[in-house]
Amino acid sequence: MITLQRRQLVGHDILLARHGNHISAMRLDRGAGRVIAFLDDGSTDSAPNLITPGLRMPDTVRSVLREDWKFLTGISAVCVGLAGLICAAAAALAGASGDPALAQLLTAYSGN
């Protein structure tokens, strides 16, 4: 079962433990998987953002969308295509039918 939670940034905790209130700013380097701290004296320090490199972090909404965007786009396109096909079939059936009551039923469905 997928549980979607915010990922904890371990690098922030490591840098806070090392430097405390001497940190002026922090930024996350996603490509390298590190957190970089800019210190008051102008120097920088960095720490890894994972406890263990092989550790599987919990899924987030963003990570699910990033990994499965092609599948989700395909499913959405199929749903839109089926809805269009059903609407076109209802309109064609209403136009091809000689019965005005059926045409009114298919074109003016109120949804109640």
Side-chain angles (χ1 to χ4, degrees), residues 27-95:
R27 76 173 178 88
L28 177 63
D29 184 3
R30 293 186 194 279
R34 301 184 71 77
V35 176
I36 300 168
F38 300 98
L39 305 177
D40 292 338
D41 62 359
S43 62
T44 60
D45 190 13
S46 66
N49 206 25
L50 292 175
I51 298 171
T52 305
L55 181 67
R56 172 119 168 91
M57 298 297 285
D59 290 327
T60 63
V61 173
R62 183 176 292 158
S63 69
V64 169
L65 290 177
R66 184 173 45 241
E67 292 170 3
D68 299 334
W69 71 269
K70 288 181 183 177
F71 174 73
L72 295 172
T73 302
I75 292 296
S76 298
V78 167
C79 289
V80 168
L82 283 174
L85 185 65
I86 290 171
C87 289
L93 186 60

